Amino acid sequence: MIDLTSSLLKALLKHAHNPIIIFKIKPVLVVVEHNDAYQALIARIGGNLKFYDVDIIPTLLSDEERDLLINAVQQVSEFKKPVSLVIHPIYSNSPNVKWELEFSPVLQNDHPVEYIICSLKEVPVNENDLERILFELSESEARFRGFFEQAPLGMCVLRGPDLITEYANDNILKLWGKTRKEVIGIPQEQARPELAKQRHILNRVKEIFKTGAPLTLNELKISTAAFDGYFVALYQPLKNDKNEITRILAIIKDITEEVNFKKELLKAKDILKLAMDASEMGSWNVDLESKKVLLSERAQQIYELENNRMGLEEAKGMIAKADFEVLSASIRKALHNRSAFNVEYQINLKSTANKTKWLRTAGKAYYNADGKPVYIAGAVLDITEHKQDELRKNDFIGMVSHELKTPLTSLSAYVQLLQFKLKETENSFAIDTLDKVNLQLKRMSLMIDGFLNVSLLESGKILLNKTDFDVIALIKSIAEENRIVLPSHFIQVIGTEQTIVNADMEKIGNVISNLIGNAAKYSKKDSFIAIKCEKTDNEVIISVEDEGIGIKENNIPRLFDRFFRVDSAITKTIAGFGVGLYICAEIIKRHEGKIWVESKFGKGSTFYFSLPVEQTIAP
Ligand code: ADP
């Protein structure tokens, strides 16, 4: 048994010039003793690894050399004879040296070998060895293959200020558009003449030999016959055992996609800025944590503020009382549904007392990884002028309709009087003509009512008078009225169960009548119009289906807009002002219901609207 504590052994180890290690083979291979020279070597080349770690040597070797090392240890213990081995610690901090190892068994009579002494000698590598090291380096790529596949890296080793390529991996060759033969052993500028255009970069790389400082080039544009894109390049100096920089290891990563994406983003940002400038739109951002509002220059102008920041409470304080609830309800709804909001509201300016402005703002919340909203951002537009124009127009429409209504009412009264008088005569022509006059007066009155409603709606003067009523009964009576006015069509009511809703009966009646009127207006004589009423758990859905001209899909989103009419050869021949559906939609909206259409162009349309029903209402 070897006495590891013996002073002779200690002295021997201490004074030995070369690193010496003593291994114990069993039960597992461990370093049981080493000298200062070995400790100094490992501290120098091993980086963060601990010197007493027996695994350190294998981790510095290529797979092949590791096998050789294990084999050597096995041979020593088996044949009880010394074995020498030369290996390259290529993964150490000094890959340019090789190690000559001498393994000797510690022999104790006939006992199996228990300890092995290993002495190590560092010798510089010659050019041939270097080639092998570089080859092994390329082999080592296999160890990182997973990583390389995900982020293909180009790698090369360039020797001396002429930048002679000593090693180049497949990725970098692909990028250069060269074969190994065309570049290895040849200065970069000679092998790749296209670099002439990038001399300034080459000069910076060559500088590394003087300064010793690694170089990183970001977003480097590379245009070769095989490639055109952006890269990030790292140049790392490699030193020989005399601490001289002899080579540069270059690692290149293709970041074309990232750069292009960034460029697209910047372009989109630019376009957005142009569009916002052109439309005089401002932008804002509310930080929900700090409760601060940040405004763009234009938004600051719109709000007529001296500063581009303000507290959220201060911003809320500027919103007109009448609009505050609508605005906060739409923001709450958008946050809940993770959707965008788009609202019009009035603000009271701080800069000038009693001055108000109309604004339209659209925005959206942004969430952190936990799904918590962190900020809300959007755009704001000053619509005061537009709003005032609209209000003036509304007032005008309201006034004109009202003024027209008065003579029309008296006209209807006179016609009715005449009809009454004529009943006593036999003048069938006059009776007939007066009936026609009466019909036309009714149509005219309906049109004027439409305009009057628009103006009332716009000025917020339409109020709902809600009662509980049976919607089926209402549908049936309206269908009956329409059968008289529209004998040209077959009007059917489907669904007979009593369905109570809490709504404004007259206005819901107007909506149904309007939809039936349209169904007849936009379909052929003798076609069917079906009115259905279906009840679900929390709503009733009423639909009016026709076999008419249908609506093209691109017109559907604007169908319920004020004054919108489909522009086609057929619709041009049909009278209308495009206010009916708008009024229907506004009435339904005020009932917190929904209105929509499904249509097949040339086949027919079905208009639907829903009304909420409360579970508690008894049938
Ligand atoms: P108006 O009928 O007075 O033009 P509306 O607001 O009632 O106005 O309708 C808007 C437009 O929608 C109409 O001009 C028409 O083009 C289209 N439309 C409405 N109802 C129908 C329908 N049942 N079938 C086909 N198109 C329709």
Side-chain angles (χ1 to χ4, degrees), residues 57-93:
I57 294 179
T59 57
L60 303 177
L61 307 178
S62 67
D63 294 349
E64 206 177 300
E65 291 200 328
R66 196 175 330 138
D67 291 345
L68 288 177
L69 183 79
I70 294 167
N71 208 16
V73 173
Q74 275 170 355
Q75 275 191 13
V76 178
S77 69
E78 203 172 314
F79 302 114
K80 300 186 176 182
K81 289 224 169 84
V83 170
S84 9
L85 182 69
V86 179
I87 53 175
H88 294 93
I90 57 165
Y91 300 117
S92 74
N93 285 349

Side-chain angles (χ1 to χ4, degrees), residues 127 130 157-159 166 209 236-238 245-248:
E127 284 300 310
L130 193 73
V157 175
L158 308 170
R159 191 185 65 219
E166 277 190 340
F209 287 102
Q236 185 72 35
L238 295 178
I245 301 167
T246 52
R247 298 170 169 80
I248 290 171

Side-chain angles (χ1 to χ4, degrees), residues 135-421:
F135 173 74
E136 278 163 1
L137 206 57
S138 75
E139 292 275 287
S140 75
E141 269 190 36
R143 294 178 174 211
F144 305 105
R145 194 140 290 153
F147 176 62
F148 272 72
E149 270 163 17
Q150 280 168 32
L153 296 179
M155 241 169 79
C156 67
V157 175
L158 308 170
R159 191 185 65 219
D162 282 345
L163 305 179
I164 294 167
T165 311
E166 277 190 340
Y167 162 73
N169 76 351
D170 289 346
N171 282 332
I172 208 158
L173 287 171
K174 207 157 96 191
L175 170 79
W176 290 344
K178 300 278 177 203
T179 62
R180 211 159 251 123
K181 227 172 150 187
E182 287 169 322
V183 290
I184 299 292
I186 304 169
Q188 276 277 304
E189 275 164 289
Q190 196 180 322
R192 301 175 54 218
E194 70 272 14
L195 287 178
K197 281 187 238 143
Q198 294 180 324
R199 185 145 296 136
H200 60 290
I201 294 174
L202 283 181
N203 288 341
R204 287 181 68 187
V205 176
K206 287 174 185 174
E207 276 285 293
I208 298 175
F209 287 102
K210 285 189 214 151
T211 62
L215 174 68
T216 305
L217 297 175
N218 249 320
E219 293 190 16
L220 182 66
K221 176 137 178 68
I222 299 186
S223 299
T224 68
F227 230 93
D228 198 10
Y230 292 89
F231 297 85
V232 56
L234 308 170
Y235 299 93
Q236 185 72 35
L238 295 178
K239 293 176 181 172
N240 64 8
D241 55 330
K242 291 187 200 109
N243 217 20
E244 297 158 342
I245 301 167
T246 52
R247 298 170 169 80
I248 290 171
L249 171 70
I251 299 179
I252 291 187
K253 183 178 186 292
D254 180 355
I255 51 162
T256 313
E257 244 176 61
E258 287 96 319
V259 173
N260 284 344
F261 180 69
K262 205 165 112 188
K263 284 196 167 166
E264 282 301 314
L265 210 66
L266 286 176
K267 209 162 92 189
K269 243 176 141 178
D270 255 11
I271 294 173
L272 184 68
K273 186 169 175 340
L274 280 177
M276 285 183 90
D277 285 351
S279 60
E280 304 207 308
M281 214 181 256
S283 64
W284 50 263
N285 190 331
V286 183
D287 185 331
L288 294 172
E289 217 151 84
S290 65
K291 304 220 180 307
K292 286 258 166 358
V293 184
L294 181 68
L295 303 168
S296 71
E297 204 181 315
R298 175 65 194 141
Q300 190 187 335
Q301 283 169 4
I302 292 176
Y303 277 85
E304 295 188 16
L305 292 169
E306 279 174 10
N307 214 316
N308 68 343
R309 277 165 205 273
M310 63 174 155
L312 186 56
E313 287 310 312
E314 196 185 342
K316 280 182 179 171
M318 290 180 75
I319 297 160
K321 269 206 183 87
D323 297 328
F324 188 79
E325 212 12 71
V326 180
L327 178 65
S328 50
S330 358
I331 296 178
R332 273 200 307 272
K333 193 170 159 202
L335 281 175
H336 183 260
N337 299 338
R338 292 198 166 211
S339 58
F341 59 87
N342 191 336
V343 258
E344 284 179 9
Y345 59 98
Q346 233 177 332
I347 55 162
N348 299 310
L349 290 180
K350 297 179 113 197
S351 53
T352 334
N354 297 328
K355 193 177 161 197
T356 59
K357 263 189 186 180
W358 272 100
L359 306 184
R360 171 180 278 280
T361 201
K364 189 170 181 255
Y366 294 83
Y367 301 80
N368 65 12
D370 304 331
K372 196 177 151 215
V374 276
Y375 66 93
I376 307 178
V380 60
L381 196 63
D382 183 350
I383 54 162
T384 312
E385 278 287 312
H386 169 79
K387 203 74 190 177
Q388 277 165 355
D389 267 0
E390 221 171 67
L391 288 177
R392 275 192 290 269
K393 198 162 72 189
N394 265 332
D395 284 351
F396 178 75
I397 293 175
M399 208 173 65
V400 171
S401 317
H402 191 77
E403 291 304 313
L404 285 176
K405 194 102 199 187
T406 322
L408 204 66
T409 316
S410 356
L411 213 60
S412 302
Y414 288 128
V415 169
Q416 271 166 26
L417 197 68
L418 268 179
Q419 277 178 319
F420 184 71
K421 286 269 170 217

Side-chain angles (χ1 to χ4, degrees), residues 361-594:
T361 201
K364 189 170 181 255
Y366 294 83
Y367 301 80
N368 65 12
D370 304 331
K372 196 177 151 215
V374 276
Y375 66 93
I376 307 178
V380 60
L381 196 63
D382 183 350
I383 54 162
T384 312
E385 278 287 312
H386 169 79
K387 203 74 190 177
Q388 277 165 355
D389 267 0
E390 221 171 67
L391 288 177
R392 275 192 290 269
K393 198 162 72 189
N394 265 332
D395 284 351
F396 178 75
I397 293 175
M399 208 173 65
V400 171
S401 317
H402 191 77
E403 291 304 313
L404 285 176
K405 194 102 199 187
T406 322
L408 204 66
T409 316
S410 356
L411 213 60
S412 302
Y414 288 128
V415 169
Q416 271 166 26
L417 197 68
L418 268 179
Q419 277 178 319
F420 184 71
K421 286 269 170 217
L422 279 172
K423 264 192 190 153
E424 296 157 11
T425 70
E426 296 279 297
N427 191 340
S428 63
F429 172 75
I431 291 173
D432 215 33
T433 312
L434 266 187
D435 277 351
K436 282 182 182 145
V437 169
N438 205 17
L439 198 72
Q440 294 307 324
L441 276 177
K442 271 201 180 123
R443 287 188 60 193
M444 204 160 169
S445 173
L446 274 176
M447 276 186 213
I448 291 173
D449 278 348
F451 284 121
L452 213 52
N453 280 336
V454 169
S455 128
L456 288 176
L457 272 172
E458 292 291 311
S459 52
K461 284 183 197 142
I462 275 202
L463 295 174
L464 298 185
N465 176 21
K466 285 188 178 181
T467 53
D468 285 350
F469 63 92
D470 176 12
V471 73
I472 279 286
L474 177 72
I475 292 173
K476 281 183 180 160
S477 84
I478 290 173
E480 200 45 54
E481 273 172 32
N482 276 281
R483 278 189 196 111
I484 302 166
V485 200
L486 302 165
S488 50
H489 289 75
F490 298 103
I491 302 174
Q492 283 179 314
V493 178
I494 301 165
T496 47
E497 244 181 76
Q498 190 189 51
T499 310
I500 304 292
V501 292
N502 181 258
D504 186 320
M505 188 162 89
E506 193 190 326
K507 295 197 176 61
I508 296 299
N510 287 344
V511 172
I512 301 170
S513 211
N514 221 312
L515 295 180
I516 299 175
N518 275 353
K521 215 157 85 167
Y522 298 103
S523 65
K524 282 211 182 93
K525 208 170 160 267
D526 293 335
S527 61
F528 278 91
I529 297 170
I531 311 155
K532 268 189 222 161
C533 175
E534 279 164 296
K535 192 173 172 217
T536 69
D537 280 349
N538 47 12
E539 58 183 8
V540 283
I541 298 175
I542 294 148
S543 61
V544 178
E545 184 179 351
D546 65 52
E547 302 172 324
I549 58 173
I551 303 153
K552 281 190 184 158
E553 209 167 317
N554 59 333
N555 285 314
I556 288 182
R558 296 179 53 208
L559 215 62
F560 299 94
D561 287 357
R562 198 170 49 146
F563 304 129
F564 178 79
R565 300 206 71 215
V566 171
D567 187 15
S568 77
I570 311 175
T571 50
K572 272 204 180 85
T573 63
I574 302 167
F577 292 105
V579 294
L581 287 181
Y582 167 71
I583 293 169
C584 292
E586 286 297 317
I587 291 174
I588 299 303
K589 203 160 91 187
R590 278 165 171 72
H591 278 87
E592 278 161 36
K594 278 184 250 129

